[in-house]
Amino acid sequence: MDSDSVKSSFTYMGRKFSDLNINDSSSSAFSDCNSDRSGEFPTASSQSRRLFLACASDNSDEVISQLVSDLDSDNIDEQKQAAMEIRLLAKNKPENRIKIAKAGAIKPLISIISSSDPQLQEYGVTAILNLSLCDENKEEIAYSGAIKPLVRALKVGTPTARENAACALLRLSQVEENKIAIGRCGAILPLVNLLESGNFRGKKDACTALYSLCTVKENKLRAVQTGIMKPLVELMADLGSNMVDKSAFVLSLLVSVAEARAALVDEGGIPVLVEIVEVGTQRQKEIAVAILLQLCEDCLAYRTMVAREGAIPPLVALSQTGTSRAKQKAEALIELLRQPRSTNGAARDI
């Protein structure tokens, strides 16, 4: 995925963070999901793959038509071979993605995703992921019924199928109306599970998909209800995990709802955020102070907890050495924390 970065704001997936100043490294905050990163075909040699690609490039329409026909074969090995080769064609040549879709591959690939054979399911998921990289295919994939099978693969598939299903759902969620449908089909819980228990790539892919889906309020509430806050706080607490930025970006979306703020406090998020303000990178400090400010704006009890955690000294330092946006947020938060409790009639307790 690509992120647009500017000096005074950050735009990601169509959402502008005017209160964050993200530097030029913002594109590294999330995994790209630009194509499948699973291993190549275990049943074919490198020489045969090269031969296949060379033949396909010379006569791709005929090859694609035959492969799509083979997807409906009664022979599972033929189905696997066809799905693998379609995946390879869609991965290596972007122009093939439209050709494959127009040849009618999407519906039989979706049927394959529902297969009880784990390997066939994985190939189907991965082929759909690669086809979804083409914007013109996203709506057809969703309208053809891919969301539910992808969610099922996300729950019960092989590790590679789960990761690629997360990426495919991310791609489909870039069509705004699909976000609610994906959430209502049950994607949030398995994404949170992948965030918590997946390998590093799985965690990154889950985090990226959750970031996209949680721009919708009902998905924010689902994420909180399914326990997202615990893995987010744990990942932010591990400053060497390379997941601090990703987790903090997701959290920055969630804290707009009261349920997320309460869950963040319950999971011990305040000490973690204060530590990030003190020792994190400039970008991490900026995100953390923005989250703390939102947490404290209308809650006296949270202000007290933040102050007791020793936040004021690192906030003072940030107000002097941080980015321009971080300085503004730090100064506003310091002012809130230093206000006498009795003068905060507009704020609420918990």
Side-chain angles (χ1 to χ4, degrees):
M1 283 176 298
D2 295 322
S3 303
D4 300 323
S5 58
V6 294
K7 291 183 179 179
S8 60
S9 65
F10 170 57
T11 302
Y12 176 74
M13 301 286 292
R15 184 174 184 270
K16 188 173 183 180
F17 286 80
S18 58
D19 60 340
L20 295 178
N21 179 31
I22 307 302
N23 61 28
D24 290 339
S25 63
S26 60
S27 61
S28 65
F30 289 97
S31 61
D32 53 20
C33 285
N34 280 335
S35 68
D36 72 90
R37 288 151 287 166
S38 49
E40 291 296 346
F41 305 163
T43 58
S45 68
S46 297
Q47 183 177 2
S48 65
R49 290 197 299 270
R50 287 195 297 270
L51 178 61
F52 166 71
L53 286 173
C55 293
S57 64
D58 291 337
N59 198 8
S60 61
D61 291 344
E62 183 178 339
V63 171
I64 288 169
S65 178
Q66 182 59 53
L67 291 174
V68 172
S69 177
D70 289 345
L71 290 174
D72 288 321
S73 172
D74 293 331
N75 185 314
I76 193 170
D77 290 330
E78 289 183 2
Q79 287 183 303
K80 287 181 181 180
Q81 189 67 27
M84 287 192 298
E85 292 177 359
I86 284 174
R87 171 204 137 192
L88 187 61
L89 286 171
K91 176 178 181 178
N92 288 279
K93 295 193 71 175
E95 59 268 29
N96 283 338
R97 295 167 190 159
I98 295 176
K99 289 183 180 181
I100 292 168
K102 288 183 176 179
I106 288 175
K107 287 188 176 180
L109 283 171
I110 291 171
S111 296
I112 283 174
I113 296 174
S114 299
S115 172
S116 60
D117 183 281
Q119 189 179 53
L120 182 58
Q121 180 189 62
E122 179 184 314
Y123 295 157
V125 168
T126 309
I128 285 291
L129 164 61
N130 289 347
L131 292 178
S132 73
L133 303 180
C134 173
D135 289 340
E136 294 181 32
N137 291 339
K138 290 175 185 174
E139 290 190 11
E140 183 180 353
I141 290 171
Y143 293 155
S144 297
I147 292 174
K148 286 185 178 180
L150 284 170
V151 171
R152 183 178 180 277
L154 184 62
K155 293 177 180 177
V156 302
T158 66
T160 297
R162 294 175 68 201
E163 293 161 4
N164 288 342
C167 280
L169 289 169
L170 163 69
R171 288 293 173 179
L172 297 184
S173 75
Q174 291 170 344
V175 178
E176 193 67 24
E177 55 265 32
N178 289 340
K179 293 182 180 182
I180 291 176
I182 292 170
R184 290 178 179 177
C185 284
I188 302 297
L189 177 58
L191 284 171
V192 170
N193 290 340
L194 185 60
L195 178 67
E196 188 165 21
S197 61
N199 59 26
F200 179 63
R201 181 201 155 183
K203 291 177 188 292
K204 285 175 33 176
D205 292 343
C207 211
T208 309
L210 286 163
Y211 183 90
S212 177
L213 292 170
C214 288
T215 57
V216 176
K217 183 176 180 180
E218 68 176 71
N219 287 339
K220 295 178 187 181
L221 295 174
R222 285 192 184 94
V224 174
Q225 291 162 2
T226 56
I228 192 174
M229 206 57 66
K230 181 176 183 291
L232 284 181
V233 170
E234 288 176 350
L235 289 169
M236 288 192 303
D238 185 357
L239 295 178
S241 69
N242 200 28
M243 288 292 297
V244 176
D245 302 57
K246 303 168 187 66
S247 303
F249 274 119
V250 176
L251 181 56
S252 72
L253 286 179
L254 297 176
V255 292
S256 63
V257 297
E259 293 86 345
R261 296 193 291 272
L264 171 62
V265 174
D266 290 344
E267 292 294 342
I270 287 177
V272 172
L273 289 166
V274 171
E275 182 182 13
I276 292 172
V277 171
E278 186 170 7
V279 300
T281 65
Q282 286 295 324
R283 178 169 67 182
Q284 291 165 2
K285 291 179 180 182
E286 190 171 322
I287 304 169
V289 72
I291 294 170
L292 286 170
L293 180 59
Q294 192 163 2
L295 190 68
C296 292
E297 277 177 333
D298 66 345
C299 183
L300 291 169
Y302 294 163
R303 294 180 198 175
T304 300
M305 294 170 72
V306 171
R308 287 177 177 171
E309 201 57 44
I312 291 181
L315 285 171
V316 171
L318 185 61
S319 71
Q320 297 169 349
T321 62
T323 64
S324 59
R325 292 287 178 178
K327 289 178 180 178
Q328 293 173 14
K329 298 298 180 184
E331 289 168 359
L333 184 52
I334 290 168
E335 184 177 353
L336 274 181
L337 297 179
R338 286 178 169 169
Q339 287 177 357
R341 184 181 180 90
S342 59
T343 65
N344 292 314
R348 64 174 178 83
D349 238 321
I350 59 171

